[in-house]
Amino acid sequence: MTNYIFDIDGTLTPSRMKINSNFESFFSNWIKDKQVYLVTGSDKDKTVEQIGENIWSNVTCVYQSCGNQVWKNTKLIKENSFFIDSRIKNTLDTYIEKSEWKFKFDNNFEQRVGLVNFSTIGRNCTQEMRDKYYKWDLKNREREKICEFINTNFSNIEASVGGQISIDIYERGKNKAQVLDDILGEVIFFGDRMEIGGNDYPLAKRLIQEKRKHKLHKVKNPYETWEILKKKY
Ligand code: M1P
């Protein structure tokens, strides 16, 4: 049976926002006779808030924190732990201080199960500031540069860009590709961050490297995901 894997932020929902209600009805029905996996950098509470309890409970499996916490039909089946040490904390504090993005908010480090989510702007920013930071970051590539620095200078950890304002940091190798240890056979994968440095990249790369039967859909937004599902699957 074909396995369908979906990223959430930017793929099923706009980043940190609720799924479109018509898409939610469509998707709730679409998943019924299929093997569907959700793989996100985010945590359970945010995911449920964004896609709703019904989808979250009824897909085959939900991989939170890039696969470092796994839920199967509301039952917790796996958790990894991960914390950053003082060396990386100090490095990231310096990035906050030196960031050329001027509007700073709190909650720069969000501890999740098996993952730390980091942002120079701070997760407590307003939606307006979030949208502005995203545009600024597209030009200035702050998040990409931070990830590059971490990935080059810290051999035990890995960082990737996801969503609009933040990066996901976890133990090296504990990225989204780990879900393929459990999901065997053909995979159709939808994600918005499949480019190098994006948090969907390791999963896409592993599918290609393993030469398994697969199809990658690099989408621009949830609307595109919905259109592809209606037309092709
Ligand atoms: O899936 C990656 C990230 O997507 C969103 O990121 P941001 O807040 O930067 O838009 C959030 O859902 C975040 O929790 C998640 O890690």
Side-chain angles (χ1 to χ4, degrees), residues 70-99:
V70 187
W71 295 84
K72 194 170 178 54
N73 308 121
T74 75
K75 288 204 176 59
L76 179 62
I77 59 167
K78 186 184 119 182
E79 278 191 331
N80 292 331
S81 87
F82 172 76
F83 302 93
I84 51 170
D85 63 22
S86 56
R87 204 163 71 92
I88 174 77
K89 171 80 169 55
N90 293 340
T91 303
L92 294 172
D93 280 339
T94 309
Y95 271 110
I96 300 171
E97 257 168 55
K98 302 245 165 87
S99 173

Side-chain angles (χ1 to χ4, degrees), residues 7 31 33 54 75 120 151 169 179 196 198 200 207 217 231:
D7 163 55
I31 61 177
D33 52 350
N54 180 43
K75 288 204 176 59
T120 53
N151 292 333
I169 306 172
V179 308
I196 294 182
D200 296 323
L207 283 170
H217 290 287
K231 282 187 195 139

Side-chain angles (χ1 to χ4, degrees), residues 7-9 15-16 40-43 46 50 110 112 115 117 123 130 143 161-168 176 199:
D7 163 55
I8 297 182
D9 292 81
S15 248
R16 276 305 288 125
T40 170
S42 199
D43 57 37
K46 290 187 188 67
Q50 288 174 236
E110 190 172 79
R112 299 184 183 159
L115 181 147
N117 182 265
R123 298 200 66 78
R130 167 183 266 279
R143 292 186 298 161
V161 177
Q164 283 184 303
I165 58 165
S166 61
I167 65 174
D168 292 331
K176 287 190 181 184
N199 68 359

Side-chain angles (χ1 to χ4, degrees), residues 1-117:
M1 200 177 186
T2 304
N3 301 291
Y4 295 88
I5 305 181
F6 294 87
D7 163 55
I8 297 182
D9 292 81
T11 300
L12 291 181
T13 76
S15 248
R16 276 305 288 125
M17 290 171 91
K18 283 196 190 341
I19 189 168
N20 170 287
S21 58
N22 293 327
F23 185 28
E24 184 178 3
S25 310
F26 168 90
F27 196 69
S28 305
N29 202 42
W30 185 86
I31 61 177
K32 275 182 186 154
D33 52 350
K34 300 184 182 68
Q35 305 235 107
V36 178
Y37 301 84
L38 305 181
V39 186
T40 170
S42 199
D43 57 37
K44 172 180 174 277
D45 290 353
K46 290 187 188 67
T47 303
V48 172
E49 183 189 302
Q50 288 174 236
I51 60 166
E53 193 81 49
N54 180 43
I55 294 173
W56 189 83
S57 319
N58 286 305
V59 291
T60 312
C61 224
V62 186
Y63 293 89
Q64 309 285 170
S65 297
C66 292
N68 289 298
Q69 188 189 48
V70 187
W71 295 84
K72 194 170 178 54
N73 308 121
T74 75
K75 288 204 176 59
L76 179 62
I77 59 167
K78 186 184 119 182
E79 278 191 331
N80 292 331
S81 87
F82 172 76
F83 302 93
I84 51 170
D85 63 22
S86 56
R87 204 163 71 92
I88 174 77
K89 171 80 169 55
N90 293 340
T91 303
L92 294 172
D93 280 339
T94 309
Y95 271 110
I96 300 171
E97 257 168 55
K98 302 245 165 87
S99 173
E100 283 171 17
W101 170 261
K102 293 293 169 225
F103 308 95
K104 308 276 172 61
F105 298 81
D106 294 334
N107 200 6
N108 303 92
F109 295 87
E110 190 172 79
Q111 180 67 53
R112 299 184 183 159
V113 177
L115 181 147
V116 172
N117 182 265

